[in-house]
Protein backbone atom coordinates (compact mmCIF):
# COMPACT_ATOMS: atom_id res chain seq x y z
CA UNK A 1 0.00 0.00 0.00
CA UNK A 2 1.47 3.39 -1.01
CA UNK A 3 0.72 6.76 0.54
CA UNK A 4 -1.61 9.00 -1.43
CA UNK A 5 0.41 11.84 -3.00
CA UNK A 6 -0.31 15.23 -1.46
CA UNK A 7 -2.47 17.57 -3.54
CA UNK A 8 -4.03 20.96 -2.77
CA UNK A 9 -7.64 20.82 -1.67
CA UNK A 10 -10.49 22.90 -3.09
CA UNK A 11 -10.03 25.65 -0.51
CA UNK A 12 -6.37 26.11 -1.42
CA UNK A 13 -7.16 26.13 -5.13
CA UNK A 14 -9.93 28.69 -4.60
CA UNK A 15 -7.57 30.92 -2.62
CA UNK A 16 -4.93 30.63 -5.32
CA UNK A 17 -7.51 31.51 -7.99
CA UNK A 18 -8.11 34.84 -6.25
CA UNK A 19 -4.50 35.83 -6.96
CA UNK A 20 -5.38 36.29 -10.64
CA UNK A 21 -8.16 38.78 -9.89
CA UNK A 22 -7.90 42.32 -11.29
CA UNK A 23 -9.13 43.60 -7.91
CA UNK A 24 -6.20 44.07 -5.47
CA UNK A 25 -8.54 43.58 -2.50
CA UNK A 26 -9.48 40.13 -3.80
CA UNK A 27 -5.82 39.28 -4.39
CA UNK A 28 -5.01 40.36 -0.83
CA UNK A 29 -7.86 38.16 0.42
CA UNK A 30 -6.38 35.23 -1.47
CA UNK A 31 -2.97 35.81 0.07
CA UNK A 32 -4.55 36.05 3.52
CA UNK A 33 -6.28 32.69 3.05
CA UNK A 34 -3.06 31.06 1.88
CA UNK A 35 -1.13 32.47 4.85
CA UNK A 36 -3.76 31.12 7.25
CA UNK A 37 -3.43 27.66 5.74
CA UNK A 38 0.38 27.70 5.49
CA UNK A 39 1.07 28.69 9.12
CA UNK A 40 -0.11 25.39 10.66
CA UNK A 41 0.42 23.35 7.50
CA UNK A 42 2.80 20.51 6.75
CA UNK A 43 5.91 20.66 4.60
CA UNK A 44 4.16 19.73 1.35
CA UNK A 45 1.41 22.31 1.84
CA UNK A 46 3.89 25.05 2.70
CA UNK A 47 6.06 24.24 -0.30
CA UNK A 48 3.03 24.37 -2.60
CA UNK A 49 1.90 27.71 -1.15
CA UNK A 50 5.39 29.22 -1.48
CA UNK A 51 5.70 27.95 -5.04
CA UNK A 52 2.31 29.43 -5.90
CA UNK A 53 3.07 32.85 -4.46
CA UNK A 54 6.74 33.43 -5.24
CA UNK A 55 6.35 34.02 -9.01
CA UNK A 56 3.89 36.81 -8.27
CA UNK A 57 6.18 38.81 -5.99
CA UNK A 58 7.86 40.67 -8.82
CA UNK A 59 4.67 41.66 -10.54
CA UNK A 60 2.30 42.50 -7.68
CA UNK A 61 1.66 46.26 -8.12
CA UNK A 62 -0.54 46.93 -5.10
CA UNK A 63 1.33 47.59 -1.86
CA UNK A 64 -1.41 46.16 0.38
CA UNK A 65 -1.61 42.98 -1.67
CA UNK A 66 2.19 42.78 -1.79
CA UNK A 67 2.33 43.09 2.01
CA UNK A 68 -0.16 40.22 2.24
CA UNK A 69 2.02 38.22 -0.16
CA UNK A 70 5.02 38.74 2.12
CA UNK A 71 2.96 37.47 5.04
CA UNK A 72 2.34 34.27 3.06
CA UNK A 73 6.10 33.83 2.63
CA UNK A 74 6.60 34.28 6.37
CA UNK A 75 3.94 31.65 7.09
CA UNK A 76 5.38 29.20 4.55
CA UNK A 77 8.93 29.56 5.99
CA UNK A 78 10.44 28.48 2.68
CA UNK A 79 14.10 29.30 2.08
CA UNK A 80 13.37 30.07 -1.58
CA UNK A 81 11.69 33.27 -0.42
CA UNK A 82 14.81 34.85 1.09
CA UNK A 83 16.11 36.52 -2.12
CA UNK A 84 12.64 37.97 -2.73
CA UNK A 85 12.44 39.36 0.81
CA UNK A 86 15.92 40.86 0.57
CA UNK A 87 14.93 42.66 -2.62
CA UNK A 88 11.67 43.91 -1.12
CA UNK A 89 13.49 45.25 1.95
CA UNK A 90 14.16 48.37 -0.12
CA UNK A 91 10.59 48.78 -1.36
CA UNK A 92 9.36 52.40 -1.38
CA UNK A 93 6.21 51.54 0.61
CA UNK A 94 6.75 51.40 4.39
CA UNK A 95 3.89 48.91 4.63
CA UNK A 96 5.85 46.43 2.51
CA UNK A 97 9.14 47.03 4.34
CA UNK A 98 7.37 46.42 7.64
CA UNK A 99 5.99 43.11 6.37
CA UNK A 100 9.50 42.14 5.22
CA UNK A 101 10.99 42.96 8.62
CA UNK A 102 8.41 40.75 10.26
CA UNK A 103 8.98 37.91 7.78
CA UNK A 104 12.79 37.77 7.73
CA UNK A 105 13.20 35.92 11.06
CA UNK A 106 11.13 33.05 9.65
CA UNK A 107 12.94 32.60 6.33
CA UNK A 108 16.51 31.45 5.79
CA UNK A 109 19.03 29.44 7.74
CA UNK A 110 20.78 30.85 10.83
CA UNK A 111 24.39 31.85 10.16
CA UNK A 112 26.65 34.55 11.58
CA UNK A 113 26.36 37.69 9.48
CA UNK A 114 23.50 36.15 7.50
CA UNK A 115 21.83 38.22 4.76
CA UNK A 116 18.64 38.42 6.78
CA UNK A 117 20.53 39.92 9.72
CA UNK A 118 22.17 42.50 7.45
CA UNK A 119 18.76 43.40 6.04
CA UNK A 120 17.27 43.77 9.52
CA UNK A 121 20.19 45.98 10.54
CA UNK A 122 19.38 48.33 7.67
CA UNK A 123 15.65 48.24 8.44
CA UNK A 124 16.34 49.04 12.11
CA UNK A 125 17.36 52.52 10.93
CA UNK A 126 14.31 52.98 8.66
CA UNK A 127 12.52 56.32 8.68
CA UNK A 128 9.21 54.62 9.54
CA UNK A 129 8.79 53.76 13.24
CA UNK A 130 6.74 50.62 12.54
CA UNK A 131 9.47 49.30 10.26
CA UNK A 132 12.12 50.03 12.90
CA UNK A 133 10.00 48.36 15.58
CA UNK A 134 9.58 45.19 13.54
CA UNK A 135 13.26 45.10 12.61
CA UNK A 136 14.51 45.62 16.17
CA UNK A 137 12.13 42.92 17.39
CA UNK A 138 13.48 40.58 14.71
CA UNK A 139 17.09 41.31 15.65
CA UNK A 140 16.21 40.61 19.26
CA UNK A 141 14.89 37.13 18.49
CA UNK A 142 17.38 35.71 15.98
CA UNK A 143 20.01 33.38 17.45
CA UNK A 144 22.62 34.39 14.88
CA UNK A 145 22.07 38.10 15.55
CA UNK A 146 24.70 38.19 18.27
CA UNK A 147 27.73 40.05 16.94
CA UNK A 148 29.06 43.57 17.59
CA UNK A 149 27.11 45.13 14.71
CA UNK A 150 23.83 43.91 16.16
CA UNK A 151 24.68 45.11 19.64
CA UNK A 152 25.67 48.50 18.23
CA UNK A 153 22.39 48.76 16.30
CA UNK A 154 20.35 47.87 19.39
CA UNK A 155 22.25 50.42 21.52
CA UNK A 156 21.58 53.02 18.84
CA UNK A 157 17.87 52.37 19.13
CA UNK A 158 17.87 52.86 22.92
CA UNK A 159 17.47 56.56 22.18
CA UNK A 160 14.89 56.08 19.43
CA UNK A 161 12.27 58.80 19.21
CA UNK A 162 9.60 56.10 19.49
CA UNK A 163 9.21 54.62 22.99
CA UNK A 164 8.15 51.19 21.74
CA UNK A 165 11.21 50.86 19.50
CA UNK A 166 13.44 51.82 22.43
CA UNK A 167 11.74 49.18 24.60
CA UNK A 168 12.42 46.52 21.97
CA UNK A 169 16.08 47.55 22.00
CA UNK A 170 16.21 47.22 25.80
CA UNK A 171 14.80 43.71 25.58
CA UNK A 172 17.15 42.71 22.77
CA UNK A 173 20.22 43.85 24.71
CA UNK A 174 19.03 42.19 27.91
CA UNK A 175 18.72 38.91 26.04
CA UNK A 176 22.35 39.36 25.01
CA UNK A 177 23.47 39.71 28.63
CA UNK A 178 24.47 43.35 28.19
CA UNK A 179 24.80 44.72 31.76
CA UNK A 180 24.79 48.32 30.53
CA UNK A 181 21.07 48.02 29.79
CA UNK A 182 20.21 47.17 33.41
CA UNK A 183 19.05 50.70 34.42
CA UNK A 184 16.82 50.90 31.35
CA UNK A 185 15.28 47.50 32.12
CA UNK A 186 14.63 48.48 35.74
CA UNK A 187 13.00 51.66 34.43
CA UNK A 188 10.69 49.63 32.18
CA UNK A 189 9.65 47.39 35.05
CA UNK A 190 9.02 50.38 37.33
CA UNK A 191 7.01 52.23 34.69
CA UNK A 192 4.50 49.46 33.99
CA UNK A 193 2.43 47.78 36.74
CA UNK A 194 1.77 44.92 34.31
CA UNK A 195 5.04 44.60 32.34
CA UNK A 196 5.07 43.21 28.82
CA UNK A 197 5.73 39.43 28.86
CA UNK A 198 8.81 40.02 26.71
CA UNK A 199 10.16 42.47 29.28
CA UNK A 200 9.78 39.85 32.01
CA UNK A 201 11.44 37.29 29.77
CA UNK A 202 14.33 39.69 29.18
CA UNK A 203 14.69 40.24 32.93
CA UNK A 204 14.81 36.49 33.50
CA UNK A 205 17.43 35.95 30.80
CA UNK A 206 19.58 38.82 32.09
CA UNK A 207 19.22 37.26 35.54
CA UNK A 208 20.79 40.04 37.59
CA UNK A 209 20.14 40.38 41.36
CA UNK A 210 19.75 44.15 40.91
CA UNK A 211 16.35 43.35 39.38
CA UNK A 212 15.07 41.58 42.50
CA UNK A 213 13.62 44.64 44.35
CA UNK A 214 11.44 45.83 41.49
CA UNK A 215 10.39 42.27 40.59
CA UNK A 216 9.52 41.53 44.22
CA UNK A 217 7.39 44.66 44.37
CA UNK A 218 5.52 43.64 41.24
CA UNK A 219 5.11 40.06 42.49
CA UNK A 220 3.61 41.31 45.75
CA UNK A 221 0.81 42.85 43.70
CA UNK A 222 0.33 39.70 41.59
CA UNK A 223 1.55 36.70 43.59
CA UNK A 224 -0.04 34.21 41.19
CA UNK A 225 1.66 35.53 38.04
CA UNK A 226 3.92 32.68 36.82
CA UNK A 227 5.94 35.04 34.59
CA UNK A 228 6.91 37.20 37.55
CA UNK A 229 7.71 34.13 39.64
CA UNK A 230 9.98 32.81 36.89
CA UNK A 231 11.78 36.16 36.57
CA UNK A 232 12.27 36.34 40.35
CA UNK A 233 13.72 32.84 40.45
CA UNK A 234 16.04 33.56 37.53
CA UNK A 235 17.41 36.72 39.17
CA UNK A 236 17.97 35.15 42.61
CA UNK A 237 21.60 33.92 42.75
CA UNK A 238 20.82 31.26 45.37
CA UNK A 239 17.91 29.82 43.41
CA UNK A 240 19.92 29.89 40.18
CA UNK A 241 22.76 28.02 41.88
CA UNK A 242 20.35 25.47 43.36
CA UNK A 243 18.72 24.91 39.98
CA UNK A 244 22.06 24.40 38.26
CA UNK A 245 23.26 22.04 40.99
CA UNK A 246 20.14 19.87 40.75
CA UNK A 247 20.45 19.73 36.95
CA UNK A 248 24.09 18.64 37.17
CA UNK A 249 23.23 15.99 39.77
CA UNK A 250 20.53 14.69 37.43
CA UNK A 251 23.01 14.55 34.58
CA UNK A 252 25.58 12.71 36.69
CA UNK A 253 22.99 10.23 38.01
CA UNK A 254 21.69 9.47 34.53
CA UNK A 255 25.19 9.25 33.02
CA UNK A 256 26.16 6.66 35.62
CA UNK A 257 22.88 4.79 35.28
CA UNK A 258 22.48 4.87 31.50
CA UNK A 259 25.64 5.97 29.67
CA UNK A 260 24.15 4.49 26.48
CA UNK A 261 21.65 7.39 26.39
CA UNK A 262 24.51 9.89 26.06
CA UNK A 263 22.71 12.49 28.22
CA UNK A 264 23.54 16.19 27.97
CA UNK A 265 22.26 19.48 29.36
CA UNK A 266 21.23 22.18 26.88
CA UNK A 267 20.64 25.84 27.69
CA UNK A 268 19.41 27.66 24.55
CA UNK A 269 20.70 31.16 23.93
CA UNK A 270 18.27 33.99 24.82
CA UNK A 271 16.33 31.63 27.09
CA UNK A 272 16.04 30.51 30.69
CA UNK A 273 14.91 27.04 29.58
CA UNK A 274 17.14 24.16 30.63
CA UNK A 275 16.77 20.86 28.76
CA UNK A 276 18.01 17.35 29.33
CA UNK A 277 18.71 15.64 26.02
CA UNK A 278 19.07 11.88 25.60
CA UNK A 279 19.70 9.78 22.53
CA UNK A 280 17.82 6.48 22.72
CA UNK A 281 17.97 6.22 18.93
CA UNK A 282 18.87 8.25 15.85
CA UNK A 283 16.75 11.20 16.98
CA UNK A 284 17.38 12.97 20.31
CA UNK A 285 14.65 13.32 22.92
CA UNK A 286 14.47 16.38 25.17
CA UNK A 287 13.00 16.86 28.62
CA UNK A 288 12.27 20.12 30.36
CA UNK A 289 14.66 19.73 33.28
CA UNK A 290 12.54 21.72 35.74
CA UNK A 291 9.44 19.75 34.82
CA UNK A 292 11.25 16.43 35.09
CA UNK A 293 12.63 17.29 38.53
CA UNK A 294 9.19 18.49 39.64
CA UNK A 295 7.71 15.11 38.65
CA UNK A 296 10.45 13.46 40.69
CA UNK A 297 9.75 15.52 43.80
CA UNK A 298 12.98 17.44 43.37
CA UNK A 299 15.16 14.33 43.66
CA UNK A 300 17.73 13.97 40.83
CA UNK A 301 18.03 10.20 41.40
CA UNK A 302 14.27 9.76 40.95
CA UNK A 303 14.32 11.95 37.86
CA UNK A 304 17.08 9.78 36.39
CA UNK A 305 14.96 6.71 37.16
CA UNK A 306 12.00 8.24 35.28
CA UNK A 307 14.13 8.67 32.17
CA UNK A 308 15.52 5.18 32.59
CA UNK A 309 11.98 3.80 32.70
CA UNK A 310 11.03 5.71 29.55
CA UNK A 311 13.77 3.96 27.55
CA UNK A 312 14.33 0.38 28.65
CA UNK A 313 17.77 -0.97 27.67
CA UNK A 314 17.86 -3.22 24.63
CA UNK A 315 17.69 -6.91 25.54
Amino acid sequence: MTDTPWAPDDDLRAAAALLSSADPARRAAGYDRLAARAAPGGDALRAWVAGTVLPRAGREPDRSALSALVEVLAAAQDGRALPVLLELAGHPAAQVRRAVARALPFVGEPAPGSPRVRALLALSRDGDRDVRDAAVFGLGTLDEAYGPAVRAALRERLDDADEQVAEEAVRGLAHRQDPAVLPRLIGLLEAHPDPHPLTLSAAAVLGRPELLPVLAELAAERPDDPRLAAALAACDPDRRAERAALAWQLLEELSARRPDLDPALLWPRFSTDLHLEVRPGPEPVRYDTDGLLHRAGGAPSRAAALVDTDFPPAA
Side-chain angles (χ1 to χ4, degrees), residues 139-208:
L139 288 172
T141 59
L142 285 177
D143 281 355
E144 75 264 32
Y146 203 76
V150 172
R151 287 173 178 265
L154 291 174
R155 289 180 186 132
E156 184 181 324
R157 297 273 66 80
L158 288 174
D159 297 318
D160 196 277
D162 185 85
E163 181 181 350
Q164 189 168 321
V165 176
E167 289 181 7
E168 290 293 355
V170 170
R171 291 190 280 258
L173 287 166
H175 278 110
R176 283 155 182 79
Q177 299 287 308
D178 190 330
V181 82
L182 187 58
R184 299 282 193 121
L185 184 55
I186 291 174
L188 276 184
L189 292 168
E190 290 176 338
H192 301 288
D194 186 12
H196 194 289
L198 293 177
T199 301
L200 291 174
S201 171
V205 172
L206 188 58
R208 297 290 294 251

Side-chain angles (χ1 to χ4, degrees), residues 251-302:
L251 180 65
E252 290 172 351
E253 292 269 0
L254 187 57
S255 296
R257 189 179 190 122
R258 291 291 304 277
D260 58 301
L261 291 177
D262 192 22
L265 288 175
L266 304 178
W267 195 339
R269 186 182 288 174
F270 309 157
S271 173
T272 58
D273 295 336
L274 187 58
H275 302 295
L276 174 73
E277 182 177 276
V278 295
R279 291 184 172 272
E283 296 297 322
V285 175
R286 290 185 183 178
Y287 292 84
D288 172 70
T289 306
D290 295 327
L292 180 60
L293 285 164
H294 180 74
R295 285 171 53 204
S301 58
R302 278 194 214 132

Side-chain angles (χ1 to χ4, degrees), residues 200 204 212 215-216 218-220 222-236 239 272:
L200 291 174
L212 286 173
L215 289 171
L218 290 167
R222 296 196 307 284
D224 297 326
D225 189 328
R227 302 167 304 162
L228 275 167
L232 269 171
C235 293
D236 186 323
R239 294 173 71 179
T272 58

Side-chain angles (χ1 to χ4, degrees), residues 67-91:
S67 298
L69 183 155
V70 170
E71 290 172 8
V72 178
L73 298 180
Q77 299 185 21
D78 192 305
R80 292 175 294 172
L82 184 57
V84 171
L85 294 179
L86 295 176
E87 183 174 348
L88 290 175
H91 195 277

